[in-house]
Amino acid sequence: MRIGELSKLSGVAVETIRFYENEGLIPKAARSMNNYRSYTESHLKRLQFIRHCRSLDMSLEDIKLLSDVGARRNEEACKVQEIISRHMKKIDEQINALKELRQHLGLLSLCCHGNHANGEPCGIIEGLNSGACCHNCENLKVKRTVKKTDLTKHTNL
């Protein structure tokens, strides 16, 4: 099959197929008499394997290692397990980094009371400009708690 058909069947762009071929992720295609690349079912299967690995956010380097391993011998199976374990560790690190990012954004959100009618600058924008959360975060937390307490007192009268 030609590259356009392989692209349609695999869902991989023509340029990406050529890139994978140049990088050694898929075997070089045979050339026909008219110099067109001629791909086989094994190319399609390899591209499906690569797409699945990419959907798991695996690097091209790890995909190349995995595709070169048959995992039929014990040492090869251990190599596959090592790659997957390393990838899971990387994902855990990304999750922790995202949790820290969310916590920082949460603190930044406390820097803005939402009312800028009197010309006060936005604490979020100031925090983003300074690269750190505003120095008033703890005071703002206390103010919000006090306001809620005051509202509760007034509604109970």
Side-chain angles (χ1 to χ4, degrees), residues 14-74:
V14 168
E15 297 82 18
T16 305
I17 294 170
R18 287 187 185 125
F19 173 77
Y20 289 164
E21 193 173 350
N22 288 335
E23 294 296 311
L25 286 160
I26 62 171
K28 295 271 185 201
R31 296 281 184 164
S32 62
M33 295 292 279
N34 55 7
N35 208 27
Y36 287 125
R37 289 180 172 105
S38 182
Y39 295 93
T40 65
E41 189 69 27
S42 67
H43 288 98
L44 177 60
K45 287 182 181 189
R46 179 64 67 96
L47 285 172
Q48 290 168 337
F49 174 84
I50 293 169
R51 281 195 73 206
H52 187 205
C53 290
R54 293 297 294 148
S55 75
L56 298 172
D57 198 32
M58 291 185 180
S59 69
L60 293 179
E61 180 183 320
D62 283 346
I63 293 169
K64 186 165 177 28
L65 290 171
L66 288 170
S67 63
D68 290 342
V69 172
R72 299 210 193 291
R73 295 191 327 246
N74 199 34

Side-chain angles (χ1 to χ4, degrees), residues 73-127:
R73 295 191 327 246
N74 199 34
E75 63 270 9
E76 290 177 334
C78 289
K79 191 175 184 179
V80 169
Q81 186 63 36
E82 180 185 312
I83 291 168
I84 296 303
S85 294
R86 189 177 65 237
H87 187 60
M88 287 173 28
K89 183 179 179 197
K90 182 183 124 190
I91 290 170
D92 288 339
E93 290 168 359
Q94 290 172 330
I95 289 169
N96 288 333
L98 286 171
K99 285 179 179 178
E100 288 177 19
L101 174 63
R102 189 178 193 302
Q103 182 180 18
H104 184 79
L105 289 171
L107 289 173
L108 270 173
S109 73
L110 295 173
C111 293
C112 181
H113 52 71
N115 183 2
H116 302 287
N118 58 0
E120 276 187 50
C122 176
I124 294 174
I125 300 299
E126 287 184 334

Side-chain angles (χ1 to χ4, degrees), residues 3 8 69 94 144:
I3 197 165
K8 282 181 186 175
V69 172
Q94 290 172 330
R144 285 185 176 179

